[in-house]
Amino acid sequence: MKKITVLIPAYNESASLPRLAAALSPLIDNKMTDTPYEWEILIVNDGSRDNTLAIIKELHEADPRYQYLNLSRNFGKENAMLAGLDYASGNAVVIMDADMQHPVDVIPLMIEQWEQGYDDVYGRRSSRGKESIARRQLTKLFYRILQKSTRIDILPNVGDFRLLDRKCINALRQLRETQRYSKGLFSWIGFSKKEIMFEQGSRTEGKSSFNFLSAQSCHRRHNMLHHSPAAFRLGDGYTHGLVCYSVSDICVCTHAAVWRSCGRLSDHHVRDAFPGRMSVDSARHNR
């Protein structure tokens, strides 16, 4: 029987997680798919300051299919996803948010396309829920600039909500950037892709911790550095700054490559990078 992992990064999501667990229940009980699957729900607690971890532990005690990864501090969603990919054990991984904006009933559609041979089945938003006009316009502008400056396709209205085959997971795990832009990496690794349209819901509980302006600025800089030759054709002063960033990236990547050439990073190195990540093992031992 094939195994599917649902990977859920969570930061201060104690109000949303019980509702999400209720929505996932018919899925993991194989009531929403024609073919039965083994399920793993892997929640990555990204240094939450509320009682998210307590809720996750309650879910695990009630149902051992719920596993958790407890990071030692808030590393950010991008690194939380990478930590989850490192520990996900499924033949495929579905990445979704904890805030109920990604509809559970789209997951069976993704699985159908995966079974037909697609490796990366991504969700494209037909609507963006309750967003301000200003944020929508800034998002459109951001993607327009991004697409013109990069060497790969960065799809608009496409986020992290997707199903990835194990071969995609293995490829992404080899990319150890500390400043990640997953949407660019999903495109960069290639593999056969399929689009599923969905209507994004609005957050039902809690308050988003996402800072739009700072995140977009960060994503724009990282994406231009990693994917765009246009960045090095800008003004001299800005170019010098970009070169400094790029040299530091090369040093980090070279260091990681040397480690990889000697074999897969050991658990000792994982502990040094993300001390709290080892909590997932203790959760699995309680099965």
Side-chain angles (χ1 to χ4, degrees):
M1 182 183 296
K2 294 180 180 178
K3 184 176 184 179
I4 299 177
T5 298
V6 180
L7 170 57
I8 306 169
Y11 177 68
N12 294 343
E13 296 288 358
S14 59
S16 297
L17 283 174
R19 292 173 60 89
L20 178 60
L24 287 170
S25 181
L27 178 70
I28 65 178
D29 288 339
N30 289 312
K31 297 178 180 179
M32 298 176 67
T33 56
D34 295 331
T35 303
Y37 297 94
E38 181 182 356
W39 292 90
E40 173 186 58
I41 311 299
L42 179 56
I43 305 176
V44 182
N45 180 39
D46 187 21
S48 297
R49 297 182 179 181
D50 62 0
N51 63 333
T52 292
L53 180 59
I55 298 296
I56 295 172
K57 288 182 176 180
E58 290 177 5
L59 292 172
H60 170 70
E61 291 298 324
D63 187 343
R65 291 176 296 185
Y66 279 85
Q67 303 295 314
Y68 64 89
L69 194 59
N70 184 38
L71 304 193
S72 58
R73 64 168 175 83
N74 177 238
F75 286 91
K77 183 181 178 182
E78 297 287 333
N79 284 310
M81 285 194 296
L82 176 60
L85 294 177
D86 281 343
Y87 283 95
S89 60
N91 301 103
V93 175
V94 176
I95 303 174
M96 69 183 306
D97 290 346
D99 58 9
M100 300 295 292
Q101 291 187 306
H102 295 159
V104 174
D105 57 9
V106 174
I107 296 177
L109 303 178
M110 293 179 170
I111 294 173
E112 287 180 8
Q113 297 301 320
W114 173 57
E115 291 287 16
Q116 291 181 20
Y118 290 99
D119 301 312
D120 179 355
V121 186
Y122 60 86
R124 184 193 290 271
R125 294 178 287 262
S126 57
S127 68
R128 299 185 62 91
K130 296 180 180 178
E131 283 188 356
S132 66
I133 295 177
R135 176 167 173 171
R136 291 184 184 184
Q137 293 303 317
L138 285 172
T139 299
K140 289 181 181 179
L141 177 62
F142 167 67
Y143 279 109
R144 190 178 300 121
I145 295 173
L146 202 57
Q147 190 60 67
K148 290 183 177 181
S149 65
T150 57
R151 296 172 293 181
I152 58 175
D153 289 333
I154 306 296
L155 302 172
N157 292 322
V158 174
D160 303 315
F161 185 35
R162 64 184 63 223
L163 179 150
L164 297 169
D165 183 79
R166 171 52 58 180
K167 61 172 67 86
C168 297
I169 303 303
N170 292 340
L172 290 167
R173 287 174 59 184
Q174 296 300 311
L175 306 176
R176 308 308 297 189
E177 287 89 342
T178 57
Q179 303 296 325
R180 300 177 69 81
Y181 183 63
S182 292
K183 297 177 186 65
L185 297 178
F186 293 146
S187 297
W188 187 83
I189 62 172
F191 298 105
S192 58
K193 301 183 185 298
K194 180 68 175 180
E195 174 183 297
I196 297 287
M197 298 296 295
F198 76 97
E199 184 173 350
Q200 177 169 295
S202 298
R203 171 178 280 270
T204 58
E205 302 287 348
K207 182 179 180 181
S208 175
S209 59
F210 180 75
N211 185 316
F212 177 74
L213 291 177
S214 64
Q216 294 292 64
S217 176
C218 182
H219 286 170
R220 180 164 56 249
R221 184 178 70 249
H222 295 158
N223 215 22
M224 289 182 69
L225 285 170
H226 287 283
H227 303 296
S228 175
F232 294 95
R233 294 195 292 268
L234 299 177
D236 288 342
Y238 190 48
T239 301
H240 291 161
L242 290 175
V243 169
C244 291
Y245 272 112
S246 298
V247 169
S248 65
D249 282 347
I250 291 170
C251 291
V252 171
C253 293
T254 302
H255 183 61
V258 171
W259 277 23
R260 285 202 299 270
S261 68
C262 299
R264 187 176 182 275
L265 297 182
S266 67
D267 284 345
H268 174 71
H269 297 137
V270 173
R271 290 190 185 95
D272 287 346
F274 293 95
R277 282 166 54 172
M278 303 312 292
S279 297
V280 70
D281 288 339
S282 63
R284 284 177 175 151
H285 291 162
N286 291 332
R287 282 190 174 184

